[in-house]
């Protein structure tokens, strides 16, 4: 059976581009053909190494704060609960656009076995994928699961992002991208606490419906014989929040960095400067009345602009942030 490796990538940073290049070079050393699907611009030398290159400029990430996770910071007397207003809610839509679109494209061209991985991987040898080939003669796909991907009753909740599949056995019905349905499904799974949400959706929409051979893994290192996993998951939590407490608009921030952090708050034109040392925190009153406009700069970079005429912006202060007195 013909084999090809499908790489899904989002590489806006130089170090991510370098890792993608290293991955493709490592694949070519083992004579794998490569299909790269990405939402970011890609250097020509990387494109030239690929057999197929799919670029989708649309990157429809979700920002909905209702499906963001809560974070907290606790002092001796108070617990600050908040949702991070700088982070994305989910990458589920661009992931599935790449996933389903690339598989549909490869199926239409008569490709057979597709091994799947992400850009922050390096292949060391072919052992894992070679071991999957015999199972693909009688199964639609080979998937991997970990103990944390199992429900309490032992049933599979989801599988890892490494799969090998036989496209000749998979119907196009499982490769349709329906954006609004996916948004609704994500919100439902999030509210039900089905974690990790994106992986659960992939499993329920595709792998659960196929004749999959499931290989149980005991830990993340079980694939390390063949792969180096960089696990480049970007996006640190922004530990700052504006909230209403004790009849005042207040600003809380914790500095978890090794250097001083400088916040500048512009409250209806009035500037408030806050300097926080490493591992320090600050809790400041910024207004006794509800302002119209709040801008928060961190190290001279704007990280949030609140307009109190906007109902969503008001929710960040009154619903997505609160303080508990301990």
């Amino acid at each position: 059976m013909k084999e090809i490796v499908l790489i899904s990538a989002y590489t806006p940073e130089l170090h991510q581009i370098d890792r993608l290049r290293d991955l493709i070079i490592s694949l070519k050393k083992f004579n794998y053909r490569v299909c790269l699907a990405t939402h970011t611009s890609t250097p020509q030398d990387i494109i030239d190494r690929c057999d197929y290159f799919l670029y989708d400029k649309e990157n429809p990430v979700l920002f909905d704060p209702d499906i963001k996770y809560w974070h907290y910071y606790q002092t001796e007397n108070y617990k600050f609960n908040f949702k991070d207003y700088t982070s994305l809610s989910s990458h589920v839509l661009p992931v599935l656009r790449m996933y389903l679109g690339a598989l549909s494209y490869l199926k239409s061209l008569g490709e057979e076995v597709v091994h799947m991985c992400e850009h922050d991987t390096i292949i060391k040898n072919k052992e894992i994928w070679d071991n999957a080939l015999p199972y693909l003669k009688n199964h639609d796909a080979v998937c991997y699961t970990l103990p944390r991907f199992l429900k309490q009753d032992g049933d599979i909740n989801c599988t890892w992002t490494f799969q090998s599949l036989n496209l000749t056995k998979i119907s196009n019905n499982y490769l349709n991208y329906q954006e609004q349905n996916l948004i609704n499904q994500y919100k439902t799974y999030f509210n039900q606490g089905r974690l990790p949400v994106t992986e659960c959706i992939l499993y329920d929409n595709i792998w659960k419906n196929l004749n999959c051979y499931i290989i149980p893994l005991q830990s993340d290192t079980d694939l390390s014989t063949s792969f180096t996993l960089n696990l480049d998951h970007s996006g640190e939590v922004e530990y700052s929040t504006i909230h209403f407490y004790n009849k005042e608009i207040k600003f809380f921030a914790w500095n978890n960095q090794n250097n001083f952090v400088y916040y500048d708050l512009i409250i209806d034109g009035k500037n408030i400067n806050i300097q926080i040392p490493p591992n320090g925190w600050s809790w400041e009153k910024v207004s006794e009345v509800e302002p119209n406009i709040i801008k928060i700069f961190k190290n001279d970079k704007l990280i949030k602009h609140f307009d109190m005429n906007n109902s969503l912006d008001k929710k960040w202060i009154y619903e997505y942030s609160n303080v508990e007195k301990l």
Side-chain angles (χ1 to χ4, degrees):
M1 294 187 288
K2 293 189 301 181
E3 296 176 78
I4 192 167
V5 177
L6 170 59
I7 304 169
S8 58
Y10 180 74
T11 54
E13 304 293 337
L14 181 60
H15 73 277
Q16 296 169 325
I17 294 173
D18 289 341
R19 286 179 177 176
L20 173 60
R21 180 183 291 108
D22 291 342
L23 168 59
I24 294 174
I25 290 173
S26 73
L27 290 168
K28 287 300 181 178
K29 287 181 179 178
F30 293 101
N31 296 317
Y32 280 117
R33 294 178 303 124
V34 173
C35 174
L36 172 62
T38 180
H39 290 293
T40 45
S41 59
T42 304
Q44 189 62 47
D45 72 288
I46 292 180
I47 296 174
D48 290 342
R49 289 185 170 94
C50 298
D51 298 88
Y52 303 110
F53 174 70
L54 305 176
Y55 169 65
D56 180 2
K57 71 176 183 179
E58 296 296 328
N59 191 32
V61 293
L62 299 179
F63 285 93
D64 189 344
D66 283 335
I67 53 174
K68 285 190 176 186
Y69 296 100
W70 283 89
H71 305 282
Y72 75 92
Y73 180 84
Q74 187 169 314
T75 68
E76 184 177 345
N77 298 315
Y78 296 95
K79 183 177 181 182
F80 300 90
N81 305 290
F82 59 93
K83 294 192 176 189
D84 178 4
Y85 39 62
T86 66
S87 66
L88 302 175
S89 301
S90 173
H91 291 88
V92 65
L93 296 181
V95 166
L96 280 160
R97 280 177 69 100
M98 284 193 291
Y99 210 71
L100 300 175
L103 289 177
S104 297
Y105 177 71
L106 293 174
K107 181 174 175 63
S108 72
L109 294 177
E111 293 292 343
E112 298 175 340
V113 171
V114 179
H115 304 294
M116 304 176 68
C117 66
E118 297 177 354
H119 72 267
D120 48 6
T121 309
I122 295 295
I123 180 171
K124 297 187 290 188
N125 60 61
K126 300 175 62 177
E127 180 182 345
I128 296 293
W129 284 337
D130 282 350
N131 289 343
L133 287 176
Y135 300 112
L136 291 174
K137 294 179 181 179
N138 299 311
H139 293 82
D140 303 335
V142 173
C143 299
Y144 305 88
T145 190
L146 290 162
R148 67 175 182 268
F149 295 161
L150 301 178
K151 301 177 184 177
Q152 290 184 346
D153 60 6
D155 287 343
I156 295 174
N157 194 41
C158 66
T159 55
W160 212 358
T161 52
F162 285 88
Q163 293 92 18
S164 297
L165 58 153
N166 186 346
L167 273 180
T168 65
K169 294 179 174 291
I170 297 177
S171 167
N172 283 318
N173 294 334
Y174 296 120
L175 304 178
N176 293 325
Y177 175 78
Q178 298 177 315
E179 186 164 299
Q180 190 56 54
N181 288 348
L182 289 171
I183 293 173
N184 295 339
Q185 187 178 15
Y186 191 96
K187 290 181 178 179
T188 298
Y189 281 26
F190 180 89
N191 291 325
Q192 291 175 345
R194 297 190 58 186
L195 307 175
V197 180
T198 298
E199 286 82 353
C200 288
I201 288 175
L202 285 168
Y203 179 71
D204 286 355
N205 290 10
I206 303 176
W207 311 117
K208 187 177 181 179
N209 301 304
L210 302 177
N211 178 22
C212 289
Y213 185 85
I214 305 295
I215 297 178
L217 304 175
Q218 296 305 310
S219 72
D220 297 23
T221 60
D222 281 8
L223 293 177
S224 62
T225 56
S226 291
F227 306 117
T228 298
L229 309 178
N230 291 307
L231 301 177
D232 183 19
H233 300 305
S234 59
E236 279 195 21
V237 174
E238 167 56 32
Y239 279 94
S240 68
T241 179
I242 291 275
H243 54 261
F244 184 73
Y245 180 77
N246 198 22
K247 300 181 180 180
E248 295 175 339
I249 302 294
K250 306 195 74 169
F251 173 75
F252 167 81
W254 171 53
N255 178 13
N256 63 343
Q257 301 179 18
N258 294 324
N259 301 309
F260 274 82
V261 169
Y262 301 91
Y263 286 96
D264 292 285
L265 280 68
I266 301 178
I267 314 293
D268 286 343
K270 178 184 176 182
N271 197 0
I272 300 174
N273 306 112
I274 300 172
Q275 175 181 297
I276 308 177
N279 207 37
W281 59 278
S282 176
W283 191 27
E284 304 281 344
K285 179 183 76 174
V286 296
S287 180
E288 293 182 351
V289 298
E290 181 179 285
N292 294 311
I293 300 293
I294 302 174
K295 294 181 181 180
I296 304 175
F297 293 82
K298 181 179 182 180
N299 296 333
D300 296 324
K301 179 181 178 182
L302 180 66
I303 61 172
K304 186 59 182 175
H305 180 174
F306 295 96
D307 181 347
M308 291 302 131
N309 292 314
N310 184 309
S311 60
L312 178 57
D313 283 3
K314 294 189 74 166
K315 283 186 175 182
W316 282 110
I317 294 175
Y318 295 104
E319 295 185 27
Y320 301 134
S321 181
N322 62 72
V323 180
E324 299 176 45
K325 190 171 183 179
L326 303 178

